[in-house]
Amino acid sequence: MKILDNRGLEPPQPMMRTLKNLDQMTDGEKIAIINDRRPMFLYEELDERGYKHETEAQGDGSFKITITKVGE
């Protein structure tokens, strides 16, 4: 699983980086992103595109979001 560390980036860079990587994913593939804050706008985009996602708060205050591309 690929890990994309978006910590330290100013908005909208984390969202743009994440969406660029999502476009390259194949069905069933997973990616984990790590953000400084909970990506509220990304959740809406993931839901619209049909991706599954799970968020885990990390000990350092960041958030790890595991995203799965669901096949049609």
Side-chain angles (χ1 to χ4, degrees):
M1 174 171 39
K2 181 176 181 177
I3 297 176
L4 189 62
D5 190 344
N6 290 326
R7 291 176 290 188
L9 298 176
E10 291 296 318
Q13 286 181 316
M15 176 116 164
M16 291 171 56
R17 258 183 108 203
T18 300
L19 293 177
K20 181 180 176 185
N21 278 269
L22 292 181
D23 290 340
Q24 299 169 3
M25 291 173 64
T26 58
D27 291 348
E29 190 175 354
K30 292 184 180 205
I31 187 171
I33 64 168
I34 303 172
N35 285 11
D36 290 320
R37 54 188 75 76
R38 200 178 284 269
M40 301 311 291
F41 295 113
L42 177 62
Y43 295 139
E44 295 174 22
E45 190 70 30
L46 293 173
D47 290 339
E48 284 181 18
R49 293 181 182 210
Y51 287 84
K52 289 175 23 179
H53 52 88
E54 182 180 314
T55 301
E56 301 170 62
Q58 303 297 294
D60 65 356
S62 65
F63 294 89
K64 177 181 175 188
I65 301 91
T66 303
I67 303 165
T68 305
K69 182 170 185 176
V70 181
E72 299 279 332

